[in-house]
Amino acid sequence: MESPQKPPSAHDKLLRAAAALFYDNGITGTGIDAVVQRAGVAKKSLYNNFASKADLVSQYLEARHAEWLALNDARQEGAQTPQDQILAVFDAYRDHAEFAYEHGFRGCGLLNAAAELTADDPGRQVVRRHKEEVEALLLAPLSELLPGDPARAGRLARQLSFLLEGAMARAGLEGSSAQLLEARAMAADLLVTL
């Protein structure tokens, strides 16, 4: 017999509400009252679960990172070769672009948030770690393809991560994942030459 599903906690409701509002309206365009209202919880619940709005933002960014990692993990399950592993990263970005966003796709939620944060804001470090992790996910299979040339593998990982980020920025501007498919095709062409 299945146990009944536990209702979401106030923390989870607040984080989900913040995620939708931060993505749609931006961090500075979203007040605490809007988050509380959308979550359907008392304002005190916010401060019982998050030290501040900055803490809520940081947890939102961490949750977005974890969300993308789960998409990538799912794509990596079917990857048989190093080339497939690289292309799976592109596919995971496309999957994220094709989420059912309430008001359409606006680009990478992490980069959108980072653009609003001050240079020394801890949330920017969350975004930076995510982008570095994506580059590392590209580097591992490239290192396998180029075992005798780690410098070249590193350069290619950086180039592919830049290609991916540029495609994501354009996809956000145009509200479509088509640019990510184009970037994937470019990456596949590059991999054939290795």
Side-chain angles (χ1 to χ4, degrees):
M1 180 160 103
E2 284 185 43
S3 61
Q5 191 170 0
K6 194 170 134 180
S9 67
H11 178 276
D12 292 345
K13 288 179 182 179
L14 287 160
L15 198 52
R16 275 198 300 256
L21 293 168
F22 289 162
Y23 188 79
D24 287 342
N25 305 322
I27 292 168
T28 56
T30 301
I32 293 299
D33 290 339
V35 174
V36 169
Q37 181 180 9
R38 180 171 177 128
V41 300
K43 193 170 192 174
K44 185 176 180 182
S45 292
L46 183 104
Y47 295 108
N48 287 339
N49 286 282
F50 302 94
S52 62
K53 183 177 179 183
D55 181 35
L56 177 61
V57 169
S58 182
Q59 289 191 43
Y60 156 69
L61 295 172
E62 292 287 358
R64 264 198 93 82
H65 173 63
E67 185 177 77
W68 183 83
L69 286 175
L71 291 171
N72 184 62
D73 288 348
R75 286 293 188 162
Q76 294 296 336
E77 285 179 17
Q80 302 295 316
T81 67
Q83 292 90 338
D84 292 342
Q85 292 168 0
I86 292 164
L87 297 176
V89 174
F90 283 77
D91 292 335
Y93 262 64
R94 185 170 45 93
D95 291 342
H96 221 196
E98 292 178 355
F99 262 21
Y101 296 104
E102 285 181 22
H103 301 288
F105 177 61
R106 297 182 50 243
C108 176
L110 293 171
L111 285 180
N112 293 347
E116 292 189 62
L117 302 173
T118 60
D120 61 343
D121 190 287
R124 288 178 67 92
Q125 293 307 311
V126 173
V127 176
R128 183 177 178 168
R129 280 192 309 273
H130 169 77
K131 300 305 180 182
E132 289 169 349
E133 188 166 348
V134 170
E135 190 171 320
L137 287 167
L138 294 166
L139 177 60
L142 284 166
S143 296
E144 216 176 304
L145 290 169
L146 301 165
D149 199 347
R152 182 171 179 218
R155 282 192 310 275
L156 286 172
R158 196 146 183 86
Q159 289 169 349
L160 288 173
S161 71
F162 287 1
L163 173 63
L164 186 56
E165 293 304 323
M168 191 65 151
R170 284 287 301 274
L173 286 172
E174 297 174 24
S176 162
S177 65
Q179 295 75 15
L180 292 160
L181 285 171
E182 285 184 53
R184 185 190 193 280
M186 290 175 199
D189 288 346
L190 176 78
L191 293 173
V192 169
T193 68
L194 300 183

